[in-house]
C-alpha cells in the first residue's frame, strides 16, 4: 500500500481545494414556472441548503404566477382585467411593479410594446384562448379597438391603477424578467453574492461563475443549422432575448411570430430573428427586447446607439443569418 506522510496529505487536500471548486460550494436549482423552466446556479452559498432554498423558491414562484398569469382564470391580473372600468383598483406590490415597468416601456416605445396587447395575442392563438390560423380582417379591427396603453392610469403613491376603457392587460413580456429580478434580490438578501438566475431564457448574473471568473452566457443562434452560440461575458447584469424562432405558427409559407405589432394588429413580419438586450433590470430588458422586436433592425439600432443601450440582433438575410450590434454591446463581446 502506498503510504503518504500526513503533512503531504494535508498539502494535497489544500491543493485539490484550490484547483477544483468544491462541489458542495455550487448549488443548482431547477424547476417549472410561468409555463416554462427555471435554472439557478449559486456559487459559495455558505450555509444555505439546496432543498430548503428550492422549497422557498417554488412557493414564491407559484404565488407570483397566481398574480401575473393570464392562463390562471382567477389570477390577480385576470381579476383586474374583469374589474369595473373607470374605478381605481388596488393591486398587490408585485403586480403594481410590473404594471409600472410595462406602462413605462409602452410609453417609451411609442406603443411598439403595448401593455394592452392581450386581445390581439389571443386572437392570433398565442394566449390562453386556443385560436388557430390567420384571423379575418374584421376580427383584427375589432380586437384593435380594445388595445391602447394610454387607457391605463397609474397612481404615483399607492399601488392602485385605473382602466379608463375595457383594455386587457398582458404582462407576458415582462413577468419572466420581473421574476428573475425578484429571485435575484431574494438571493442577495440571503447573502448570496455569486449567482445566475434564469427563467425561460431571461437571466441575471452577479459575482463569479463556478470557474471563479466572470459569467459567460451564450446567445442562442436562431439558425437551425448552427451548432454554436455566441458567448458573451457578463458581470452584474441581466440579459433578455426576444425571438421569432421559438413560438410561432406557419401558414402558406409565412411565419407568424408571437410578437404582435400593436399598431397593425398583426405579428411582426420583418427580418429580425432575435434581439438580445442587456440592462441591470431583467424586467426592463425583457420588455425592451419585445419593443425592439416590433421596432425592427434599423430603428432598434438607431435608438440603442442614441441611448447607449447594449443590443445584439440576429437578422435573416438572403444568404442566411447575419448579426449586428449597438456600440454599447461591444465590451461584452471582447476577450472571450
Ligand atoms: P420573447 O422571449 O420572444 O420576448 P416573451 O414570452 O418574453 O417572449 O414575450 C412574448 C409575449 O409577449 C407574447 O406571448 C405576448 O403575450 C406578449 N406580447 C406580444 N407582442 C407584444 C407587444 N407588442 N407588447 C407587449 N407584449 C407583447
Ligand atoms: Mg421576453
Amino acid at each position: 500500500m502506498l503510504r503518504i506522510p500526513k503533512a503531504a496529505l494535508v498539502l494535497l487536500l489544500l491543493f485539490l481545494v484550490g484547483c477544483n471548486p468544491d462541489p458542495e460550494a455550487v448549488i443548482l436549482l431547477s424547476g417549472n414556472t410561468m409555463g416554462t423552466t427555471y435554472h439557478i446556479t449559486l456559487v459559495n452559498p455558505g450555509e444555505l441548503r439546496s432543498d430548503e432554498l428550492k422549497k422557498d423558491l417554488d412557493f414564491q414562484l407559484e404565488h407570483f404566477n397566481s398574480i401575473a398569469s393570464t392562463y390562471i382564470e382567477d389570477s390577480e391580473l385576470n381579476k383586474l382585467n374583469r374589474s369595473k372600468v373607470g374605478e381605481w383598483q388596488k393591486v398587490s406590490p408585485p403586480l403594481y411593479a410590473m404594471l409600472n415597468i410595462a406602462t413605462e416601456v409602452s410609453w417609451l416605445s411609442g406603443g411598439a410594446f403595448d401593455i394592452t396587447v392581450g386581445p390581439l395575442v389571443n386572437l392570433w392563438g398565442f394566449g390562453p384562448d386556443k385560436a388557430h390560423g390567420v384571423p379575418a380582417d374584421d376580427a383584427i379591427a375589432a380586437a384593435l379597438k380594445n388595445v391602447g396603453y394610454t387607457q391605463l392610469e397609474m397612481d404615483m403613491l399607492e399601488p392602485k391603477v385605473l382602466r379608463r376603457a375595457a383594455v386587457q392587460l398582458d404582462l407576458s413580456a415582462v413577468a419572466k424578467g420581473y421574476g428573475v429580478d425578484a429571485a435575484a434580490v431574494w438571493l442577495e438578501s440571503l447573502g448570496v453574492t455569486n449567482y445566475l438566475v434564469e427563467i425561460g431564457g431571461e437571466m441575471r448574473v452577479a459575482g463569479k461563475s463556478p470557474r471563479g471568473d466572470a459569467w459567460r452566457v451564450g446567445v442562442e443562434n436562431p439558425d437551425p443549422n448552427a451548432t454554436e452560440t455566441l458567448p458573451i461575458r457578463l458581470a452584474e447584469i441581466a440579459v433578455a432575448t426576444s425571438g421569432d424562432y421559438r413560438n410561432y405558427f406557419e401558414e402558406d409559407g409565412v411565419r407568424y411570430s408571437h410578437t404582435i405589432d400593436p399598431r397593425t394588429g398583426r405579428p411582426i413580419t420583418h427580418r429580425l430573428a432575435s434581439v438580445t438586450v442587456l440592462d441591470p433590470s431583467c424586467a426592463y430588458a425583457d420588455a425592451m427586447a419585445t419593443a425592439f422586436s416590433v421596432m425592427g433592425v434599423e430603428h432598434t439600432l438607431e435608438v440603442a446607439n442614441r441611448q447607449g443601450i447594449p443590443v445584439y440582433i440576429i437578422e435573416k438575410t438572403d444568404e442566411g443569418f447575419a448579426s449586428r450590434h449597438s456600440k454599447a454591446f461591444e465590451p461584452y463581446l471582447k476577450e472571450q
Side-chain angles (χ1 to χ4, degrees), residues 103-185:
T103 300
E104 183 183 354
V105 176
S106 297
W107 282 91
L108 277 178
S109 68
F113 180 99
D114 192 320
I115 186 175
T116 64
V117 77
L120 290 165
V121 173
N122 256 337
L123 185 66
W124 284 91
F126 295 113
D129 295 351
K130 291 285 158 241
H132 287 292
V134 178
D137 286 353
D138 55 350
I140 295 174
L144 266 173
K145 284 210 181 93
N146 291 319
V147 172
Y149 63 96
T150 60
Q151 299 306 320
L152 182 70
E153 189 172 335
M154 304 290 301
D155 192 86
M156 258 174 74
L157 301 174
E158 282 177 46
K160 58 182 190 184
V161 301
L162 176 98
R163 283 150 70 241
R164 292 196 200 98
V167 287
Q168 300 295 299
L169 309 169
D170 181 338
L171 294 171
S172 302
V174 61
K176 286 181 291 217
Y178 184 85
V180 168
D181 286 333
V185 173

Side-chain angles (χ1 to χ4, degrees), residues 6 14 31 58 60 70 72 81-82 114 131 136 140 160 185 209 211 213 251 257 279 283 286 290 292 306 318 332:
K6 244 194 186 152
L14 282 177
D58 283 339
Q60 294 182 86
T70 45
I72 299 171
N81 280 335
R82 290 193 294 264
D114 192 320
I140 295 174
K160 58 182 190 184
V185 173
S209 79
R211 286 186 316 269
D213 58 2
E251 197 170 296
S257 155
D279 191 84
D286 198 2
T290 294
F292 284 142
R306 188 156 26 91
D318 294 338
Y332 300 95

Side-chain angles (χ1 to χ4, degrees), residues 29-33 37-40 54 57-58 61 198-199:
L29 304 172
S30 61
N32 298 305
T33 185
T37 53
Y38 73 78
H39 297 91
I40 293 180
K54 179 154 166 56
L57 178 68
D58 283 339
L61 286 174
E198 178 262 332
I199 302 177

Side-chain angles (χ1 to χ4, degrees), residues 13-307:
L13 280 175
L14 282 177
F15 179 73
L16 285 175
V17 169
C19 265
N20 299 325
D22 178 355
E24 295 296 312
V26 175
I27 290 182
L28 301 174
L29 304 172
S30 61
N32 298 305
T33 185
M34 301 186 220
T36 181
T37 53
Y38 73 78
H39 297 91
I40 293 180
T41 305
L42 311 178
V43 183
N44 295 328
E47 301 295 299
L48 296 171
R49 287 190 34 193
S50 110
D51 51 348
E52 284 169 5
L53 279 172
K54 179 154 166 56
K55 206 167 128 231
D56 274 10
L57 178 68
D58 283 339
F59 176 80
Q60 294 182 86
L61 286 174
E62 204 175 313
H63 190 82
F64 181 80
N65 208 23
S66 76
I67 293 172
S69 172
T70 45
Y71 287 79
I72 299 171
E73 188 56 28
D74 63 349
S75 70
E76 190 187 354
L77 183 62
N78 276 341
K79 283 189 195 149
L80 176 63
N81 280 335
R82 290 193 294 264
S83 69
K84 209 154 178 226
V85 169
E87 276 181 9
W88 284 97
Q89 305 292 336
K90 236 178 156 301
V91 293
S92 66
L95 185 57
Y96 183 71
M98 280 183 275
L99 292 171
N100 234 311
I101 293 169
T103 300
E104 183 183 354
V105 176
S106 297
W107 282 91
L108 277 178
S109 68
F113 180 99
D114 192 320
I115 186 175
T116 64
V117 77
L120 290 165
V121 173
N122 256 337
L123 185 66
W124 284 91
F126 295 113
D129 295 351
K130 291 285 158 241
H132 287 292
V134 178
D137 286 353
D138 55 350
I140 295 174
L144 266 173
K145 284 210 181 93
N146 291 319
V147 172
Y149 63 96
T150 60
Q151 299 306 320
L152 182 70
E153 189 172 335
M154 304 290 301
D155 192 86
M156 258 174 74
L157 301 174
E158 282 177 46
K160 58 182 190 184
V161 301
L162 176 98
R163 283 150 70 241
R164 292 196 200 98
V167 287
Q168 300 295 299
L169 309 169
D170 181 338
L171 294 171
S172 302
V174 61
K176 286 181 291 217
Y178 184 85
V180 168
D181 286 333
V185 173
W186 171 64
L187 290 169
E188 275 168 10
S189 75
L190 297 177
V192 179
T193 49
N194 308 299
Y195 60 79
L196 182 153
V197 177
E198 178 262 332
I199 302 177
E202 326 296 13
M203 64 179 90
R204 175 163 153 170
V205 300
K208 294 190 164 133
S209 79
R211 286 186 316 269
D213 58 2
W215 292 95
R216 270 173 249 180
V217 304
V219 175
E220 205 175 339
N221 195 327
D223 183 348
N225 302 316
T227 48
E228 285 177 13
T229 56
L230 170 86
I232 53 177
R233 185 185 277 256
L234 300 172
E236 330 286 327
I237 204 155
V239 195
T241 301
S242 273
D244 80 344
Y245 53 95
R246 258 179 280 145
N247 195 358
Y248 62 90
F249 71 86
E250 270 177 6
E251 197 170 296
D252 299 330
V254 180
R255 181 181 285 202
Y256 296 93
S257 155
H258 73 158
T259 302
I260 312 279
D261 186 336
R263 287 131 347 159
T264 62
R266 292 163 193 279
I268 51 171
T269 51
H270 43 65
R271 300 184 131 203
L272 196 149
S274 83
V275 188
T276 297
V277 180
L278 308 184
D279 191 84
S281 149
C282 195
Y284 188 77
D286 198 2
M288 285 306 289
T290 294
F292 284 142
S293 295
V294 173
M295 283 158 58
V297 180
E298 301 306 329
H299 193 188
T300 292
L301 287 173
E302 187 217 307
V303 170
N305 281 325
R306 188 156 26 91
Q307 301 196 6

